[in-house]
Amino acid sequence: MTAKNAKLGQNFLTDEDAAKRIVAALGDVSRSVVVEIGPGAGALTELLAENAGALVAIELDRLLATELRYKYSRYSNVEILEGDVLNVDFRTVLKRTIGPLDDLRPVKAERVKAVGNLPYYITSDILLRLFEFHDQFDVVVIMVQREVAERITAQPGSSEYGLLSATTQLYCNTELLFTLPPSAFSPPPKVHSGVLRLRVAPRFDALGVEARSFISFLKTLFAMKRKTLVNNLKKDFPASKIKAALQEAGIRADVRSEALTLDKTAEVFRLLKNS
Ligand code: SAM
């Protein structure tokens, strides 16, 4: 096997049962386009190639991408792209049909499923990239560092809840499916891992907020975790307006951002915008 590049987060999954559970968490993929992020040595790729309507696997490491391309050259449903997932324009890449190219009645896929044991050093960037293209995706099953999985699924009021939780929960319903010890990988990473299933279900319309400005509001709210919501907002809004908005929303003046549900946060946002 190829020498592993630690800088690219190359800890390959060796636990076959875990690989099966990850792929199973996507549901029926036989009529779906599946995007695999960082296929590496192919622990998930192998299962996906046999079952997916179409598989697009994106690998940054040239050697690994070449090996995979060679291995799957005879699979008409598999495409290996060598590249950085953070630069992929999913709208272009995913404009495809399922089945052999010469099929006269190709099946147009519904939204796409994404899967990957992520390179942990860019977990947040990959998530933001997927959210940017959220209209392309239906379900995302990813392995991340266990603490990150716990933060993403944390509920308001818990100490782990923060910007990553709020942003992810704005776009998706989140589930932590299971965790894995370092021994499930070769070489073993220093951290435990967690497998998440994210069902894409954006909440912007229901909350009555515009995506970009609301996310930028969240960034302000969570800029300094130890500060109260009022203190975090002071640089963007006059104190009197913040006080009035909190009062109208029935929220205590000393509340911390991590204690508010997305519904309440959106209410404060709307009140401030309209004041
Ligand atoms: N999926 C394989 C498995 O389960 O064994 C490999 C997982 S390994 C944790 C992460 C993989 O992502 C590596 O193969 C690494 O080369 C690849 N990778 C790292 N950065 C990447 C990037 N920016 N774009 C695409 N792939 C990347």
Side-chain angles (χ1 to χ4, degrees):
M1 199 198 279
T2 322
K4 286 144 196 149
N5 184 337
K7 274 197 198 140
L8 292 184
Q10 292 181 353
N11 302 97
F12 298 128
L13 185 65
T14 49
D15 180 331
E16 289 176 17
D17 183 55
K20 283 186 194 147
R21 290 172 74 190
I22 291 169
V23 172
L26 289 169
D28 179 7
V29 292
S30 61
R31 292 169 66 83
S32 305
V33 173
V34 180
V35 171
E36 187 185 358
I37 300 166
L44 304 178
T45 321
E46 193 157 340
L47 302 171
L48 292 164
E50 296 301 335
N51 296 307
L55 172 65
V56 181
I58 305 161
E59 174 56 59
L60 183 59
D61 186 308
R62 171 159 296 179
L63 219 52
L64 290 173
T66 307
E67 281 174 3
L68 288 168
R69 206 173 277 149
Y70 181 72
K71 183 166 177 191
Y72 292 104
S73 55
R74 275 195 255 157
Y75 284 65
S76 62
N77 63 331
V78 178
E79 186 172 355
I80 310 292
L81 297 182
E82 181 196 325
D84 184 341
V85 67
L86 300 178
N87 293 332
V88 168
D89 179 344
F90 286 108
R91 266 180 215 106
T92 315
V93 168
L94 300 175
K95 244 188 226 144
R96 67 189 58 247
T97 51
I98 299 172
L101 290 176
D102 55 3
D103 191 330
L104 294 176
R105 290 172 298 125
V107 182
K108 183 82 188 84
E110 298 277 290
R111 284 190 297 161
V112 172
K113 296 174 193 265
V115 65
N117 294 342
L118 299 190
Y120 295 169
Y121 72 109
I122 45 169
T123 299
S124 302
D125 293 334
I126 293 175
L127 280 172
L128 292 177
R129 189 81 185 156
L130 292 174
F131 297 156
E132 193 183 333
F133 291 96
H134 66 271
D135 55 335
Q136 305 288 310
F137 295 102
D138 165 32
V139 61
V140 175
V141 176
I142 45 170
M143 175 120 65
V144 300
Q145 188 176 328
R146 185 178 61 189
E147 289 72 17
V148 176
E150 286 166 354
R151 268 166 47 209
I152 285 175
T153 50
Q155 291 305 302
S158 73
S159 59
E160 285 95 24
Y161 188 79
L163 182 60
L164 190 59
S165 341
T167 313
T168 309
Q169 292 170 27
L170 259 178
Y171 284 99
C172 310
N173 296 326
T174 66
E175 291 167 86
L176 174 51
L177 298 180
F178 60 94
T179 60
L180 283 173
S183 58
F185 304 85
S186 170
K190 292 197 176 72
V191 294
H192 280 66
S193 300
V195 175
L196 291 171
R197 178 163 52 202
L198 311 176
R199 294 190 190 279
V200 180
R203 296 191 56 200
F204 299 102
D205 289 347
L207 294 171
V209 295
E210 188 275 320
R212 267 182 206 282
S213 51
F214 188 58
I215 287 173
S216 134
F217 182 71
L218 288 178
K219 284 184 185 154
T220 308
L221 285 189
F222 289 104
M224 278 169 286
K225 204 146 167 37
R226 284 165 185 278
K227 285 199 174 184
T228 60
L229 176 137
V230 174
N231 279 332
N232 273 319
L233 281 180
K234 263 184 187 160
K235 76 176 179 54
D236 287 354
F237 300 93
S240 57
K241 282 194 176 181
I242 304 172
K243 207 174 146 201
L246 291 185
Q247 209 162 28
E248 196 168 339
I251 298 167
R252 286 172 53 144
D254 62 352
V255 75
R256 287 182 193 280
S257 307
E258 61 264 31
L260 284 191
T261 61
L262 279 173
D263 290 275
K264 274 290 168 199
T265 309
E267 190 179 342
V268 174
F269 173 75
R270 291 194 311 266
L271 286 165
L272 283 170
K273 285 279 154 191
N274 297 329
S275 63

